[in-house]
Amino acid sequence: MFAAALTRLPAGVLADRYPLKPLMVVPDLVRAATTLWIVIVILTDSLTLPQLLVASVVGAVCGAIFDSAQTVAIRHVVPPEQLPQALAQDSARGHVAGLAGQPSGGYLYGVGAVLPVLADAVSYVACAGLTMLVRNKMRPSRAPGRLRTLWRDIPVGLRYVASSPFLRVTLACATGFQVVFAGLTIAIIASQGAREGAAFHLGTALSMAALGGILGAWAAPSLSRRLSPATLLYSFGWACCAALATLGQVQNIYVIGVLLAVMFFLATPANATLFAVQIDTTPPELQGRVVSAALLAAGIAAPIGPPLAGLLLDSTGQAPTFLLFAALVAVLTIVMHLSPTIRTMRMPGGPKPGGRQAAESPQPDPPS
């Protein structure tokens, strides 16, 4: 995690300066090679902790570079008006992978300890191969003449984020929501784990949450047509607030699963809309750095959630813990209501304030 955090901002500069396809293909190939190395040392019975640490650091650094480039690349392959739907589908991909990957990994581990690691390596090779098939150039090279200009570019991106009221508010609120969602799973497991058959029922409830996220991606186009971006964010915030307050009062794990599904159903299109507006309103030459700043904020916030949830459960109990989470979400939602920049948000590709039209938004590069 520390390695990924250190790499986030430089990765954003790379995404702003270099072709995006190599920034996705090369990290995947490096991760594939590193993972195959772990396969070999497992098969030769020479696996050590330092080897695992090196593989983890390399994987984290490559993942930070890939994530920044992949998020910016979406803008190059879809028109602006389709950004929310594309980002929602990208989020759904993660939910599907979670649903299928965990049981598959457990099954493969049961057959042989090396098989899940080998499958991971194969997945990186497949991802690199599919990325190479994309015909879009995804930005021509504009590499600086000297490497040190890359480090000088990092403060430029941070100053832009600090100077934008929209980015300041949305990143702050997104960070707060990340803390809540990161601690939510731990709070539910800790509060329900002592019950008979808890593992199966908890797994089912968490699967319901993932299914809610998948359905949210499917419903994103319809919700985007019927609700303004601000209304979608407000609805997500208040629905999460109500669901969290209810979670502190219910004991039935399947009711908990339904509440989680509702939260993730609205979280997927809301998060996709927010990310799409961020991409659409950010100058093309700064998008990598803004995306990396958002990913860095989320990466820093996520580790806060689990220990916070554990501390609150130990000191206050189940109901107060979820009520405190609900109160935090309520504060964040009120902040969004009070923000003029969120109230005036427009969908990418739609009319902008002041009469500017979607034609002024960055357009995808033509396919090669």
Side-chain angles (χ1 to χ4, degrees), residues 23 25 40 58 67 79 107 137 154 166 184 195 241 248 252 304 320:
L23 292 177
V25 172
I40 293 171
V58 171
D67 290 343
Y107 172 76
K137 292 180 180 179
I154 291 177
F166 174 75
L184 183 59
R195 299 177 180 275
C241 184
N252 187 297
I304 299 175

Side-chain angles (χ1 to χ4, degrees), residues 288-309:
R289 279 164 281 184
V290 170
V291 165
S292 293
L295 294 174
L296 177 62
I300 292 174
I304 299 175
L308 176 62

Side-chain angles (χ1 to χ4, degrees), residues 36-305:
L36 285 174
W37 170 53
I38 296 297
V39 170
I40 293 171
V41 297
I42 291 176
L43 291 175
T44 57
D45 199 25
S46 56
L47 180 65
T48 63
L49 180 59
Q51 291 171 337
L52 288 176
L53 290 175
V54 169
S56 298
V57 169
V58 171
V61 170
C62 290
I65 297 172
F66 178 91
D67 290 343
S68 297
Q70 184 260 343
T71 305
V72 176
I74 294 176
R75 167 192 166 268
H76 290 262
V77 296
V78 299
E81 63 272 12
Q82 293 181 9
L83 273 174
Q85 291 76 32
L87 290 165
Q89 291 173 13
D90 186 56
S91 178
R93 172 186 55 84
H95 290 302
V96 172
L99 279 174
Q102 294 181 14
S104 298
Y107 172 76
L108 290 174
Y109 185 82
V111 177
V114 75
L115 289 181
V117 187
L118 180 61
D120 205 28
V122 171
S123 72
Y124 289 132
V125 174
C127 184
L130 292 172
T131 303
M132 292 176 67
L133 294 177
V134 177
R135 292 181 296 172
N136 194 294
K137 292 180 180 179
M138 292 187 288
R139 180 173 296 140
S141 175
R142 293 184 294 170
R146 290 172 294 181
L147 182 62
R148 64 193 183 98
T149 61
L150 292 175
W151 303 104
R152 289 179 176 177
D153 278 345
I154 291 177
V156 175
L158 294 176
R159 284 196 297 268
Y160 178 79
V161 172
S163 68
S164 168
F166 174 75
L167 291 175
R168 289 201 306 268
V169 172
T170 54
L171 288 183
C173 290
T175 300
F177 277 108
Q178 184 68 28
V179 171
V180 172
F181 273 77
L184 183 59
T185 301
I186 296 299
I188 291 172
I189 292 174
S191 61
Q192 301 290 324
R195 299 177 180 275
E196 184 178 355
F200 172 79
H201 296 301
L202 283 169
T204 303
L206 296 177
S207 296
M208 293 169 68
L211 182 59
I214 295 170
L215 293 175
W218 173 75
S222 178
L223 291 174
S224 297
R225 286 192 299 269
R226 289 169 170 77
L227 300 175
S228 69
T231 301
L232 185 55
L233 291 179
Y234 302 154
S235 301
F236 161 66
W238 291 122
C240 284
C241 184
L244 287 167
T246 307
L247 281 171
Q249 309 300 320
V250 299
Q251 298 299 324
N252 187 297
I253 192 64
Y254 293 99
V255 175
I256 292 174
V258 170
L259 293 171
L260 291 175
V262 170
M263 294 174 65
F264 279 84
F265 177 84
L266 290 172
T268 300
N271 186 59
T273 296
L274 201 58
F275 234 133
V277 175
Q278 287 176 353
I279 292 173
D280 189 54
T281 57
T282 299
E285 67 274 11
L286 291 172
Q287 287 182 357
R289 279 164 281 184
V290 170
V291 165
S292 293
L295 294 174
L296 177 62
I300 292 174
I304 299 175

